[in-house]
Amino acid sequence: MPSATTSSTSGSSNAMRQSGLLIPTLRDEPGEAEIVSHKLMLRAGLIRKVAAGVYTYLPLGLRVIRKVERIIREELNKTGAQEVLMPIAAPAELWQETGRWDFYGKELFRLKDRHERDFCLGPTHEEIITDLVRREVRSYRQLPATFYQIQTKFRDEIRPRFGLMRGREFIMKDAYSFDADDAGAKESYRKMYEAYRTIFTRCGLTFRPVEADTGLIGGTSSHEFMVLADTGEDGIAVCDACEYAANVEHAAVRNATGGEACPRCAKPLRIVRGIEVGHVFMLGTKYSEKMKAVYLDKQGQDRAIVMGCYGIGVGRTAAAAIEQNHDAKGIIWPAPIAPFHVHVLPLAGKPGAVLDAAHALEAELEKAGMDVLLDDRDERPGVKFNDADLIGCPYHVVIGDKGLKDGQIELKERRTGAVTKLGPADAAARLKERLQAALS
RNA sequence: CGGGGCGUAGCGCAGCCUGGUAGCGCACCAGCUUUGGGAGCUGGCUGUCGGAGGUUCAAAUCCUCUCGCCCCGACCA
């Protein structure tokens, strides 16, 4: 589990001044947003829309994205997966080899270069990675191997919606496993499945892996990782008796309604809503056969590589976290993916004892390895409190005139609102304790 | 792509039905007073009314076309 001391995400300093950051919070609810995560991402100044389903990540939003990415990297690296970065633009020929140039339909963003050659913007990268592997892998000795990337994807969705929940351009982690046989592929799948459990747990999400259909990707079996939330676009049938869970689109429970018999234990199913944040597929040899990705086995025989592929929607994971963690005042970030761990609120904007104390504390927290946001703006207390609640860092430290005279500052936990009065000298140590608990 | 809705100041909206040359709140700028939960007063700035064409003496308002955005559906790692 991570310690607070390894948590810096950008720059040489992990403390930042609010006066120097673009954090355009909104008092009013934007008319364009329907669901709470989208509203709060706009209101807290995380994102701004550029076109339908296309967004700019502002400093705060980008920090959250980077934190999710870091958790993904840490867990995938532990499994032995290797990070690569593939191109966004891919030539039509590779897609024609698998037939998906035609099958994928309008969702595939197509374009021509200056020589009128066809390209597409990658919605997923089976073709590209399989092309790489068939060129570089010859022998069973080079298997198994899993590659992943974290990259911007393009899908010209019929209807983008709900902010980062369903964009046309979005950040995705996609991974591809290559094995010599089915047993190996199964093991690669299992490792990735377990890594996903850890990743979403670390992101502070309540989720459920469910059986799912394989869609355009194809393959032999798949599981979706569903974050349970009423605003989810998918229905899932869950059995409380035996842990069975499946997307209602899945053949085994297609169009199931609540109360129907669980296919595994025959107890009644319950239908809930879910947000698909991750999806793992056993692909078999669908792509390797079409693209002739083969290796030589011990007997010197050509054999098709057995593949798996694995996706995580990075922005969607952040949005799902907000769906599950908010209140009437704003976001309540799980500590591991919060843009900052601590929001320091000096109730003064002009130079003086309060601001001095805030700067001193900022330096100390930073030294202790925490990500600190200091609200050094010359704003009224109410404005700072409301913005801080909206932005939703897990801990707020309030430094005011009155408390300071008695040698006290206040530590507030965003989620519970619980306030602890502390001497400034104790604050860093106490916060570090609490954060370490919250981060593990 | 079918159905519905909306485009007026940075944000949220009124004005449109019944044409007369654009308004409210917040934000922003200046000054003074304020300072522990979105301050008060005074003064100020801000608009190709999404775009094009048409009707009319006159169009944000009526008509036609068009673009964008949102919601429902179909669709979907």
Side-chain angles (χ1 to χ4, degrees):
Chain A
M1 290 295 110
S3 77
T5 51
T6 60
S7 55
S8 175
T9 51
S10 66
S12 56
S13 162
N14 46 11
M16 299 192 82
R17 310 279 163 87
Q18 210 159 330
S19 60
L21 288 174
L22 180 65
I23 306 176
T25 55
L26 304 174
R27 295 189 183 200
D28 297 316
E29 292 209 331
E32 71 186 58
E34 191 74 12
I35 65 171
V36 66
S37 61
H38 189 193
K39 285 178 182 170
L40 287 175
M41 279 193 171
L42 290 167
R43 285 231 291 140
L46 271 58
I47 58 168
R48 285 294 184 265
K49 184 175 67 180
V50 176
V54 178
Y55 291 85
T56 291
Y57 304 92
L58 305 188
L60 227 43
L62 184 59
R63 288 185 68 93
V64 173
I65 294 289
R66 293 288 184 246
K67 294 236 172 156
V68 174
E69 289 176 348
R70 200 188 60 215
I71 290 171
I72 292 172
R73 283 197 171 91
E74 286 176 4
E75 296 304 326
L76 292 190
N77 290 346
K78 277 186 206 166
T79 70
Q82 310 171 58
E83 184 167 4
V84 296
L85 185 57
M86 292 181 259
I88 288 171
E93 288 74 21
L94 286 176
W95 282 72
Q96 285 158 348
E97 271 192 63
T98 59
R100 287 207 295 181
W101 182 260
D102 296 318
F103 288 142
Y104 213 95
K106 285 190 171 174
E107 224 178 277
L108 191 63
F109 248 112
R110 294 157 211 261
L111 51 145
K112 285 182 190 293
D113 70 8
R114 63 168 66 196
H115 306 293
E116 293 289 302
R117 286 192 283 249
D118 288 313
F119 278 79
C120 65
L121 301 180
T124 175
H125 284 242
E126 284 81 7
E127 282 80 357
I128 315 299
I129 192 73
T130 304
D131 179 55
L132 175 77
V133 167
R134 70 179 167 185
R135 292 167 188 276
E136 309 304 334
V137 172
R138 291 284 129 76
S139 158
Y140 71 93
R141 293 174 194 278
Q142 293 168 280
L143 299 175
T146 296
F147 302 96
Y148 76 95
Q149 63 174 346
I150 296 175
Q151 185 209 37
T152 296
K153 293 282 190 285
F154 292 84
R155 287 183 194 175
D156 202 355
E157 293 281 350
I158 293 174
R159 187 150 86 83
R161 61 185 126 179
F162 303 148
L164 297 193
M165 205 64 90
R166 180 177 291 277
R168 294 192 293 172
E169 179 185 310
F170 58 99
I171 298 171
M172 179 181 217
K173 185 286 299 177
D174 48 322
Y176 307 89
S177 65
F178 298 86
D179 279 274
D181 53 30
D182 286 339
K186 227 171 169 173
E187 175 60 12
S188 294
Y189 185 90
R190 191 195 61 76
K191 273 159 72 176
M192 202 58 66
Y193 183 101
E194 290 307 320
Y196 273 38
R197 295 188 83 102
T198 309
I199 288 165
F200 295 124
T201 300
R202 282 186 64 186
C203 287
L205 295 167
T206 302
F207 64 94
R208 193 125 180 200
V210 308
E211 293 184 8
D213 283 327
T214 50
L216 278 178
I217 298 296
T220 52
S221 75
S222 82
H223 286 87
E224 291 167 336
F225 285 76
M226 289 287 189
V227 168
L228 305 183
D230 292 338
T231 47
E233 294 187 79
D234 294 282
I236 37 186
V238 300
C239 176
D240 296 315
C242 78
E243 294 288 300
Y244 179 84
N247 192 312
V248 295
E249 300 297 315
H250 188 54
V253 292
R254 193 177 301 279
N255 303 320
T257 53
E260 251 167 71
C262 170
R264 193 172 296 163
C265 76
K267 294 269 169 49
L269 290 171
R270 196 159 52 91
I271 306 290
V272 297
R273 307 298 299 174
I275 299 164
E276 179 194 352
V277 290
H279 204 152
V280 294
F281 294 86
M282 297 250 266
L283 291 175
T285 53
K286 171 180 170 172
Y287 291 90
S288 51
E289 278 177 16
K290 282 186 172 143
M291 296 184 71
K292 299 189 170 52
V294 298
Y295 69 97
L296 285 179
D297 69 11
K298 286 182 181 172
Q299 284 71 41
Q301 296 292 307
D302 266 352
R303 296 188 57 178
I305 299 177
V306 186
M307 294 174 56
C309 74
Y310 316 89
I312 291 178
V314 176
R316 189 183 280 187
T317 297
I322 295 175
E323 291 292 329
Q324 280 190 342
N325 298 281
H326 68 273
D327 63 15
K329 287 178 167 295
I331 303 171
I332 306 172
W333 287 112
I337 61 172
F340 293 93
H341 299 133
V342 187
H343 201 164
V344 177
L345 309 176
L347 300 184
K350 303 269 195 295
V354 169
L355 214 50
D356 288 347
H359 280 122
L361 181 66
E362 174 199 32
E364 218 182 321
L365 295 173
E366 179 184 352
K367 207 166 72 187
M370 287 172 251
D371 293 344
V372 184
L373 178 61
L374 172 64
D375 191 349
D376 59 338
R377 298 174 303 166
D378 187 8
E379 288 288 355
R380 299 177 67 81
V383 172
K384 294 192 178 188
F385 289 137
N386 280 298
D387 275 351
D389 286 340
L390 184 59
I391 291 167
C393 298
Y395 294 99
H396 299 171
V397 176
V398 180
I399 303 175
D401 240 347
K402 293 165 190 166
L404 208 54
K405 279 184 189 137
D406 306 328
Q408 290 195 321
I409 60 176
E410 289 165 28
L411 172 58
K412 183 180 132 185
E413 189 181 351
R414 171 68 181 86
R415 187 175 294 275
T416 61
V419 173
T420 312
K421 297 198 191 239
L422 298 170
D426 303 331
R430 294 284 292 277
L431 253 173
K432 193 169 177 179
E433 262 169 46
R434 290 217 203 174
L435 255 178
Q436 247 151 10
L439 286 171
S440 61

